[in-house]
Amino acid sequence: MAAEKGEKGAAAKEVAGERMVTLESSDGEEFHMSEAAAQLSTLLRHVIEGGGIDNGIPLPKVAARTLEKVIMYCEKHAKAAAKSDSDPSAAAGSSSDNTAAASEDLEKWDRKLVNGLSQDALFDLIVAADYLVIDGLLDATCRKVADMMKGKTPDEIRKIFNILNDFTKEEEEEMRREYAWAFDD
Amino acid sequence: MALNCSSRSLLLSDDCAGMMLGCGCRSEEASPLSSCGVNSLWWDDLELELELEEDEEQESDPVDLLPTDPFGMNLETTFTAAIASCIGDLTVMSGTGCFGSGGDDAFFADLSYYLNQAFVLAPEPWIGGYLGVFDTPFGSGGLSGGGADRFSWLPPSASCLQPSEFMEGLSSSHNAALACRDTVDATPAREGGDAHDGMMFALSYLGMRDILSVEMVCKSLRSAVRNEPFLWKCIHIDSHLGEKISDADLLRLTQKSPGALQCLSLVRCNKITDQGLKAVLQSNMQLTKLGIFGSLLLTHQGLVDNLRSFNMEANIGIKKLRVADLFTASKAQYEELLSLLKIDKGQALHKQEPRILHADCFLPDLRGGYAPDCFLPDLHDEYALDIERCPLCPNYKLVYDCPSEGCNVSRSGICRGCLVCIQRCLQCGRCIDNEYEETFSLDSLCPSCQKDRDSPSAEK
């Protein structure tokens, strides 16, 4: 055990039999996540496999509150994956039902996670998910933002996301004319 | 540590800042007409805290670890004062039902408690403040221009650089913002900021109409939409847009990102002519997939001529063609089409999975720009041509399999044929030869789908 730990490097510490990874947010806060959860991030996976991280993995581009959500997502999905792997698939029919129900629950959990975020938290999570290369999280967060934009006029989008209209009247008029065909209902 | 705290505060909720600037500066944001999403989200969070609800996401908030007043600004008093001035202007908040009852004193007491405990809102005033301040050091439109230019975000892993530059720039100017706090409070109502970089990622999840809407929102988004070739690699015109788009409009769309277009899908584009399609093809020589799902003006001969002249000049040529029910092909016409496709070695000629008829394929898309599921996957499926020989007649058309249990769903099943040879339920795709029930709408529906339509069941 000890030899194994030494080989992997200090960043992968064992906590209750599970290998942990230390992450440091942009503001210096330390977070711990299981290595299994960290594997969901392609970036972290490469860093861990590369080894040689002594004092945790610094993430200067991810703030503490965002990192917390990222870890929440990864831990949840890692646990779900572990559970489905170890699920005794005695009867093929029942296990596929369980898998479908489990993945639906996971989707519900994802939706609850993104729905509970403020706009800026959501956007920061998108940026973090992209940086850490966590496809599932990027997908869930982007879908949420896309849902907020679907079917909305430019003015409504501005209001929802509090965006300043920096076009001149002429530019706006030009674009409106160009896309009149798409928007006259 | 101060800078670290500040950079963290940048990423906290901006919508709170709207409430906190006081003096009714952001009262526009709080009005019922404004972004309901922004304000309701913040107030929902506040509700949660005030009611001390158990929520797993709120349990261990690292925000609790923040120092209470890092900059010695007596935030508690000024903050509450800011709230007080806002409350006077805001009538909508009492409508949430949480704050109206109990009187203002109880509200402020609760609020102070919340502020003491969480201090989430403490640095908030700066968000609105320094974004406004930003216009000066970076020049007008500096952020919008700079942010977008730095933001061509594919491949995804490369994009991580841009936001950090953004954040570093912001945090370095934070101290400037700090010094100008008094000015910030006194600035006139700011109507909004720039689009967050994170928004750009969501663009690829939007349909064409929504992308055009987003393009009209602000300069940075327009730049993002126009300069992101990924968005213009595959253009899908759904039936809603298809009915309206003209030759010229379609050409203009395909030219948004010259050289990017590889896949074009046109649903019910009833105004597009052979000439129009020719112009599109000639301007997009890198096109490899073309799907025409319903058209009134395109002709078989026109399509053949267009394909022939396109393939003569293009490097790659069209590899995948979908014509759906554009025409009923004879053997000769089918073979001519096949010969015009630049089929890869090992590429399947026809659809390998069973083809099932769905109502989606025929109903208009009312959801504002999203593709009906059956079309895009069909176009992205690897096979070359969608029409094939009907087992039951000499024509070359779309051939459907049957999802009915008794009919053996597979390409070699018994119940396989074109729509003329085997009548199918428009909703579920089952064969309905003998059980056909004529309806007022003249839609072919099997008895179970007819029952569902007449009395919508719990399943639906």
Short mmCIF file of all heavy atoms in Angstrom, two decimals, chain B residues 9-60:
data_model
loop_
_atom_site.label_atom_id
_atom_site.label_comp_id
_atom_site.label_asym_id
_atom_site.label_seq_id
_atom_site.Cartn_x
_atom_site.Cartn_y
_atom_site.Cartn_z
N SER B 9 -14.51 37.25 -6.33
CA SER B 9 -15.77 37.98 -6.30
C SER B 9 -16.25 38.28 -7.71
O SER B 9 -17.42 38.42 -7.95
CB SER B 9 -15.61 39.27 -5.52
OG SER B 9 -14.80 40.16 -6.27
N LEU B 10 -15.30 38.35 -8.64
CA LEU B 10 -15.71 38.60 -10.01
C LEU B 10 -16.66 37.54 -10.51
O LEU B 10 -17.49 37.79 -11.33
CB LEU B 10 -14.49 38.59 -10.94
CG LEU B 10 -13.40 39.57 -10.64
CD1 LEU B 10 -12.36 39.51 -11.74
CD2 LEU B 10 -13.98 40.97 -10.55
N LEU B 11 -16.45 36.34 -9.98
CA LEU B 11 -17.19 35.24 -10.53
C LEU B 11 -18.49 35.00 -9.79
O LEU B 11 -19.24 34.12 -10.13
CB LEU B 11 -16.34 33.96 -10.48
CG LEU B 11 -15.03 34.14 -11.23
CD1 LEU B 11 -14.04 33.07 -10.85
CD2 LEU B 11 -15.28 34.11 -12.72
N LEU B 12 -18.73 35.77 -8.76
CA LEU B 12 -19.97 35.59 -8.03
C LEU B 12 -21.11 36.23 -8.78
O LEU B 12 -20.93 36.91 -9.76
CB LEU B 12 -19.84 36.19 -6.62
CG LEU B 12 -18.91 35.39 -5.71
CD1 LEU B 12 -18.73 36.10 -4.42
CD2 LEU B 12 -19.45 33.99 -5.48
N SER B 13 -22.27 35.98 -8.26
CA SER B 13 -23.47 36.35 -8.99
C SER B 13 -23.51 37.83 -9.31
O SER B 13 -23.41 38.69 -8.44
CB SER B 13 -24.67 35.96 -8.14
OG SER B 13 -25.80 36.61 -8.64
N ASP B 14 -23.70 38.09 -10.59
CA ASP B 14 -23.78 39.47 -11.02
C ASP B 14 -25.15 40.05 -10.73
O ASP B 14 -25.32 41.23 -10.55
CB ASP B 14 -23.49 39.53 -12.52
CG ASP B 14 -23.73 40.89 -13.11
OD1 ASP B 14 -23.29 41.86 -12.48
OD2 ASP B 14 -24.36 40.99 -14.15
N ASP B 15 -26.15 39.15 -10.69
CA ASP B 15 -27.50 39.67 -10.53
C ASP B 15 -27.67 40.30 -9.15
O ASP B 15 -28.46 41.20 -8.97
CB ASP B 15 -28.53 38.57 -10.76
CG ASP B 15 -28.05 37.23 -10.23
OD1 ASP B 15 -27.32 37.25 -9.22
OD2 ASP B 15 -28.39 36.21 -10.81
N CYS B 16 -26.90 39.85 -8.16
CA CYS B 16 -26.99 40.47 -6.84
C CYS B 16 -26.55 41.91 -6.91
O CYS B 16 -27.12 42.79 -6.27
CB CYS B 16 -26.09 39.73 -5.85
SG CYS B 16 -26.50 37.99 -5.71
N ALA B 17 -25.51 42.14 -7.74
CA ALA B 17 -24.97 43.49 -7.84
C ALA B 17 -26.06 44.46 -8.25
O ALA B 17 -26.09 45.60 -7.82
CB ALA B 17 -23.84 43.52 -8.86
N GLY B 18 -26.94 43.96 -9.09
CA GLY B 18 -28.02 44.82 -9.56
C GLY B 18 -28.83 45.38 -8.41
O GLY B 18 -29.25 46.52 -8.43
N MET B 19 -29.01 44.58 -7.40
CA MET B 19 -29.81 45.03 -6.28
C MET B 19 -29.01 45.96 -5.39
O MET B 19 -29.55 46.83 -4.74
CB MET B 19 -30.25 43.83 -5.44
CG MET B 19 -30.86 42.71 -6.24
SD MET B 19 -32.12 43.27 -7.38
CE MET B 19 -33.24 43.97 -6.25
N MET B 20 -27.70 45.74 -5.36
CA MET B 20 -26.90 46.36 -4.31
C MET B 20 -26.38 47.74 -4.61
O MET B 20 -25.89 48.42 -3.74
CB MET B 20 -25.71 45.46 -3.97
CG MET B 20 -26.12 44.11 -3.42
SD MET B 20 -27.35 44.28 -2.13
CE MET B 20 -28.68 43.36 -2.82
N LEU B 21 -26.42 48.17 -5.84
CA LEU B 21 -25.83 49.47 -6.15
C LEU B 21 -26.61 50.62 -5.55
O LEU B 21 -26.13 51.72 -5.46
CB LEU B 21 -25.72 49.67 -7.67
CG LEU B 21 -24.42 49.13 -8.26
CD1 LEU B 21 -24.38 49.37 -9.75
CD2 LEU B 21 -23.22 49.80 -7.62
N GLY B 22 -27.80 50.36 -5.19
CA GLY B 22 -28.56 51.37 -4.47
C GLY B 22 -28.92 52.54 -5.34
O GLY B 22 -28.64 52.59 -6.52
N CYS B 23 -29.55 53.51 -4.76
CA CYS B 23 -29.94 54.73 -5.44
C CYS B 23 -30.78 54.45 -6.66
O CYS B 23 -30.85 55.27 -7.57
CB CYS B 23 -28.71 55.56 -5.88
SG CYS B 23 -27.44 55.63 -4.65
N GLY B 24 -31.37 53.26 -6.71
CA GLY B 24 -32.21 52.94 -7.85
C GLY B 24 -31.43 52.84 -9.14
O GLY B 24 -31.98 52.88 -10.22
N CYS B 25 -30.08 52.73 -9.04
CA CYS B 25 -29.27 52.63 -10.24
C CYS B 25 -29.69 51.46 -11.08
O CYS B 25 -29.71 51.52 -12.29
CB CYS B 25 -27.79 52.42 -9.90
SG CYS B 25 -27.11 53.67 -8.88
N ARG B 26 -29.97 50.32 -10.41
CA ARG B 26 -30.29 49.14 -11.18
C ARG B 26 -31.75 48.78 -11.01
O ARG B 26 -32.14 47.67 -11.15
CB ARG B 26 -29.41 47.97 -10.70
CG ARG B 26 -27.94 48.22 -10.88
CD ARG B 26 -27.56 48.15 -12.33
NE ARG B 26 -27.64 46.78 -12.82
CZ ARG B 26 -26.63 45.92 -12.79
NH1 ARG B 26 -25.48 46.28 -12.31
NH2 ARG B 26 -26.78 44.70 -13.24
N SER B 27 -32.54 49.78 -10.65
CA SER B 27 -33.95 49.45 -10.43
C SER B 27 -34.59 48.94 -11.70
O SER B 27 -35.57 48.25 -11.67
CB SER B 27 -34.70 50.68 -9.91
OG SER B 27 -34.60 51.72 -10.87
N GLU B 28 -33.99 49.29 -12.82
CA GLU B 28 -34.53 48.76 -14.08
C GLU B 28 -34.49 47.24 -14.07
O GLU B 28 -35.39 46.57 -14.51
CB GLU B 28 -33.69 49.30 -15.25
CG GLU B 28 -34.21 48.85 -16.58
CD GLU B 28 -33.28 49.25 -17.71
OE1 GLU B 28 -32.57 50.24 -17.57
OE2 GLU B 28 -33.28 48.55 -18.73
N GLU B 29 -33.37 46.72 -13.54
CA GLU B 29 -33.24 45.26 -13.51
C GLU B 29 -34.29 44.65 -12.60
O GLU B 29 -34.65 43.51 -12.76
CB GLU B 29 -31.85 44.87 -12.96
CG GLU B 29 -30.82 44.72 -14.04
CD GLU B 29 -30.51 46.06 -14.67
OE1 GLU B 29 -30.30 47.03 -13.94
OE2 GLU B 29 -30.49 46.14 -15.88
N ALA B 30 -34.72 45.43 -11.61
CA ALA B 30 -35.65 44.86 -10.65
C ALA B 30 -37.09 44.99 -11.10
O ALA B 30 -37.97 44.48 -10.47
CB ALA B 30 -35.46 45.55 -9.31
N SER B 31 -37.32 45.71 -12.17
CA SER B 31 -38.71 45.93 -12.58
C SER B 31 -39.28 44.64 -13.15
O SER B 31 -38.56 43.77 -13.61
CB SER B 31 -38.77 47.02 -13.64
OG SER B 31 -38.39 46.48 -14.89
N PRO B 32 -40.59 44.52 -13.09
CA PRO B 32 -41.23 43.29 -13.57
C PRO B 32 -40.93 43.03 -15.04
O PRO B 32 -41.00 41.92 -15.50
CB PRO B 32 -42.72 43.57 -13.37
CG PRO B 32 -42.78 44.68 -12.37
CD PRO B 32 -41.54 45.47 -12.55
N LEU B 33 -40.58 44.12 -15.78
CA LEU B 33 -40.37 43.94 -17.20
C LEU B 33 -39.00 43.39 -17.52
O LEU B 33 -38.73 42.97 -18.61
CB LEU B 33 -40.51 45.29 -17.93
CG LEU B 33 -41.89 45.91 -17.83
CD1 LEU B 33 -41.89 47.29 -18.45
CD2 LEU B 33 -42.92 45.04 -18.54
N SER B 34 -38.12 43.44 -16.51
CA SER B 34 -36.74 43.08 -16.82
C SER B 34 -36.51 41.60 -16.63
O SER B 34 -37.41 40.83 -16.36
CB SER B 34 -35.80 43.87 -15.92
OG SER B 34 -35.87 43.38 -14.61
N SER B 35 -35.22 41.25 -16.76
CA SER B 35 -34.84 39.84 -16.77
C SER B 35 -35.39 39.10 -15.56
O SER B 35 -34.81 39.12 -14.49
CB SER B 35 -33.32 39.75 -16.79
OG SER B 35 -32.78 40.57 -15.79
N CYS B 36 -36.49 38.44 -15.76
CA CYS B 36 -37.07 37.69 -14.63
C CYS B 36 -36.10 36.64 -14.16
O CYS B 36 -36.01 36.34 -12.99
CB CYS B 36 -38.36 37.04 -15.06
SG CYS B 36 -38.18 36.01 -16.52
N GLY B 37 -35.33 36.08 -15.12
CA GLY B 37 -34.40 35.02 -14.76
C GLY B 37 -33.36 35.51 -13.78
O GLY B 37 -33.07 34.88 -12.77
N VAL B 38 -32.80 36.72 -14.09
CA VAL B 38 -31.73 37.26 -13.26
C VAL B 38 -32.19 37.47 -11.84
O VAL B 38 -31.62 36.96 -10.88
CB VAL B 38 -31.24 38.59 -13.84
CG1 VAL B 38 -30.30 39.28 -12.88
CG2 VAL B 38 -30.57 38.37 -15.17
N ASN B 39 -33.27 38.22 -11.71
CA ASN B 39 -33.68 38.62 -10.36
C ASN B 39 -34.29 37.47 -9.58
O ASN B 39 -34.04 37.29 -8.42
CB ASN B 39 -34.65 39.78 -10.43
CG ASN B 39 -33.95 41.01 -10.93
OD1 ASN B 39 -32.91 41.36 -10.44
ND2 ASN B 39 -34.50 41.64 -11.96
N SER B 40 -35.11 36.69 -10.25
CA SER B 40 -35.80 35.64 -9.51
C SER B 40 -34.80 34.63 -8.99
O SER B 40 -34.95 34.09 -7.92
CB SER B 40 -36.85 34.97 -10.39
OG SER B 40 -36.22 34.30 -11.44
N LEU B 41 -33.73 34.40 -9.75
CA LEU B 41 -32.71 33.44 -9.31
C LEU B 41 -32.08 33.92 -8.02
O LEU B 41 -31.89 33.16 -7.09
CB LEU B 41 -31.62 33.28 -10.38
CG LEU B 41 -31.94 32.28 -11.48
CD1 LEU B 41 -30.87 32.31 -12.53
CD2 LEU B 41 -32.07 30.87 -10.92
N TRP B 42 -31.74 35.23 -7.98
CA TRP B 42 -31.08 35.77 -6.81
C TRP B 42 -32.00 35.72 -5.62
O TRP B 42 -31.65 35.30 -4.55
CB TRP B 42 -30.63 37.20 -7.07
CG TRP B 42 -29.86 37.76 -5.92
CD1 TRP B 42 -28.57 37.49 -5.61
CD2 TRP B 42 -30.36 38.63 -4.90
NE1 TRP B 42 -28.22 38.18 -4.46
CE2 TRP B 42 -29.29 38.87 -4.01
CE3 TRP B 42 -31.60 39.23 -4.66
CZ2 TRP B 42 -29.41 39.69 -2.89
CZ3 TRP B 42 -31.72 40.04 -3.55
CH2 TRP B 42 -30.63 40.26 -2.68
N TRP B 43 -33.24 36.13 -5.83
CA TRP B 43 -34.19 36.16 -4.72
C TRP B 43 -34.52 34.74 -4.27
O TRP B 43 -34.79 34.48 -3.12
CB TRP B 43 -35.45 36.91 -5.10
CG TRP B 43 -35.21 38.38 -5.12
CD1 TRP B 43 -35.19 39.18 -6.21
CD2 TRP B 43 -34.93 39.22 -3.99
NE1 TRP B 43 -34.92 40.48 -5.83
CE2 TRP B 43 -34.75 40.53 -4.50
CE3 TRP B 43 -34.81 39.01 -2.62
CZ2 TRP B 43 -34.46 41.62 -3.66
CZ3 TRP B 43 -34.52 40.09 -1.80
CH2 TRP B 43 -34.36 41.38 -2.33
N ASP B 44 -34.50 33.79 -5.22
CA ASP B 44 -34.73 32.41 -4.81
C ASP B 44 -33.65 31.96 -3.86
O ASP B 44 -33.90 31.31 -2.86
CB ASP B 44 -34.74 31.50 -6.04
CG ASP B 44 -36.04 31.62 -6.81
OD1 ASP B 44 -36.99 32.16 -6.24
OD2 ASP B 44 -36.09 31.18 -7.96
N ASP B 45 -32.40 32.36 -4.18
CA ASP B 45 -31.30 31.99 -3.29
C ASP B 45 -31.49 32.61 -1.93
O ASP B 45 -31.28 31.99 -0.90
CB ASP B 45 -29.96 32.49 -3.88
CG ASP B 45 -29.50 31.58 -4.99
OD1 ASP B 45 -30.01 30.45 -5.07
OD2 ASP B 45 -28.66 32.00 -5.77
N LEU B 46 -31.90 33.89 -1.94
CA LEU B 46 -32.11 34.61 -0.70
C LEU B 46 -33.19 33.93 0.13
O LEU B 46 -33.05 33.74 1.33
CB LEU B 46 -32.51 36.05 -1.03
CG LEU B 46 -32.47 37.05 0.13
CD1 LEU B 46 -31.14 36.99 0.83
CD2 LEU B 46 -32.70 38.44 -0.44
N GLU B 47 -34.27 33.53 -0.56
CA GLU B 47 -35.36 32.81 0.12
C GLU B 47 -34.83 31.59 0.82
O GLU B 47 -35.14 31.32 1.95
CB GLU B 47 -36.39 32.37 -0.91
CG GLU B 47 -37.56 33.30 -1.05
CD GLU B 47 -38.59 32.72 -2.02
OE1 GLU B 47 -39.13 31.66 -1.70
OE2 GLU B 47 -38.80 33.34 -3.07
N LEU B 48 -34.02 30.85 0.09
CA LEU B 48 -33.45 29.61 0.63
C LEU B 48 -32.68 29.89 1.91
O LEU B 48 -32.83 29.22 2.91
CB LEU B 48 -32.51 28.98 -0.39
CG LEU B 48 -33.16 28.01 -1.38
CD1 LEU B 48 -32.17 27.65 -2.45
CD2 LEU B 48 -33.65 26.77 -0.67
N GLU B 49 -31.84 30.93 1.85
CA GLU B 49 -31.00 31.24 3.00
C GLU B 49 -31.86 31.68 4.17
O GLU B 49 -31.66 31.26 5.30
CB GLU B 49 -30.01 32.35 2.64
CG GLU B 49 -28.90 31.89 1.73
CD GLU B 49 -27.94 30.92 2.40
OE1 GLU B 49 -27.88 30.92 3.65
OE2 GLU B 49 -27.27 30.17 1.69
N LEU B 50 -32.79 32.55 3.87
CA LEU B 50 -33.59 33.12 4.94
C LEU B 50 -34.42 32.04 5.62
O LEU B 50 -34.64 32.07 6.81
CB LEU B 50 -34.51 34.21 4.39
CG LEU B 50 -33.79 35.52 4.08
CD1 LEU B 50 -34.74 36.51 3.45
CD2 LEU B 50 -33.20 36.10 5.34
N GLU B 51 -34.91 31.10 4.82
CA GLU B 51 -35.73 30.05 5.41
C GLU B 51 -34.85 28.93 5.93
O GLU B 51 -35.33 27.94 6.44
CB GLU B 51 -36.74 29.54 4.38
CG GLU B 51 -37.74 30.61 4.02
CD GLU B 51 -38.63 30.18 2.84
OE1 GLU B 51 -38.52 29.02 2.41
OE2 GLU B 51 -39.39 31.03 2.37
N LEU B 52 -33.54 29.04 5.72
CA LEU B 52 -32.58 28.06 6.20
C LEU B 52 -32.99 26.66 5.78
O LEU B 52 -33.03 25.73 6.56
CB LEU B 52 -32.46 28.13 7.73
CG LEU B 52 -31.92 29.45 8.26
CD1 LEU B 52 -31.93 29.49 9.76
CD2 LEU B 52 -30.52 29.71 7.73
N GLU B 53 -33.33 26.58 4.47
CA GLU B 53 -33.76 25.29 3.95
C GLU B 53 -32.59 24.36 3.81
O GLU B 53 -31.49 24.79 3.48
CB GLU B 53 -34.41 25.47 2.58
CG GLU B 53 -35.92 25.38 2.64
CD GLU B 53 -36.51 25.65 1.27
OE1 GLU B 53 -35.89 25.24 0.29
OE2 GLU B 53 -37.56 26.26 1.18
N GLU B 54 -32.81 23.08 4.02
CA GLU B 54 -31.77 22.10 3.79
C GLU B 54 -31.71 21.81 2.31
O GLU B 54 -32.66 21.37 1.71
CB GLU B 54 -32.09 20.80 4.54
CG GLU B 54 -31.82 20.87 6.04
CD GLU B 54 -30.36 21.08 6.33
OE1 GLU B 54 -29.53 20.34 5.80
OE2 GLU B 54 -30.04 22.01 7.08
N ASP B 55 -30.61 22.10 1.72
CA ASP B 55 -30.43 21.80 0.30
C ASP B 55 -29.01 21.32 0.12
O ASP B 55 -28.09 21.98 0.54
CB ASP B 55 -30.70 23.05 -0.54
CG ASP B 55 -30.73 22.72 -2.03
OD1 ASP B 55 -30.15 21.70 -2.41
OD2 ASP B 55 -31.32 23.47 -2.78
N GLU B 56 -28.84 20.21 -0.50
CA GLU B 56 -27.49 19.66 -0.53
C GLU B 56 -26.49 20.59 -1.20
O GLU B 56 -25.34 20.64 -0.88
CB GLU B 56 -27.48 18.29 -1.20
CG GLU B 56 -28.00 18.31 -2.62
CD GLU B 56 -27.90 16.91 -3.25
OE1 GLU B 56 -27.24 16.08 -2.68
OE2 GLU B 56 -28.49 16.71 -4.31
N GLU B 57 -26.97 21.37 -2.15
CA GLU B 57 -26.04 22.27 -2.81
C GLU B 57 -25.63 23.42 -1.94
O GLU B 57 -24.65 24.08 -2.20
CB GLU B 57 -26.64 22.82 -4.10
CG GLU B 57 -26.47 21.87 -5.28
CD GLU B 57 -27.80 21.27 -5.71
OE1 GLU B 57 -28.68 22.02 -6.09
OE2 GLU B 57 -27.93 20.06 -5.61
N GLN B 58 -26.43 23.73 -0.91
CA GLN B 58 -26.13 24.89 -0.10
C GLN B 58 -25.37 24.52 1.18
O GLN B 58 -24.98 25.37 1.93
CB GLN B 58 -27.43 25.59 0.31
CG GLN B 58 -28.30 25.98 -0.88
CD GLN B 58 -27.80 27.19 -1.58
OE1 GLN B 58 -27.12 27.99 -0.97
NE2 GLN B 58 -28.10 27.33 -2.86
N GLU B 59 -25.23 23.23 1.41
CA GLU B 59 -24.77 22.80 2.74
C GLU B 59 -23.43 23.40 3.12
O GLU B 59 -23.33 24.13 4.08
CB GLU B 59 -24.66 21.28 2.77
CG GLU B 59 -25.78 20.64 3.57
CD GLU B 59 -25.85 19.16 3.34
OE1 GLU B 59 -24.79 18.57 3.06
OE2 GLU B 59 -26.93 18.60 3.43
N SER B 60 -22.38 23.03 2.43
CA SER B 60 -21.09 23.57 2.85
C SER B 60 -20.68 24.62 1.84
O SER B 60 -20.03 24.33 0.85
CB SER B 60 -20.07 22.44 2.90
OG SER B 60 -20.01 21.83 1.62
#
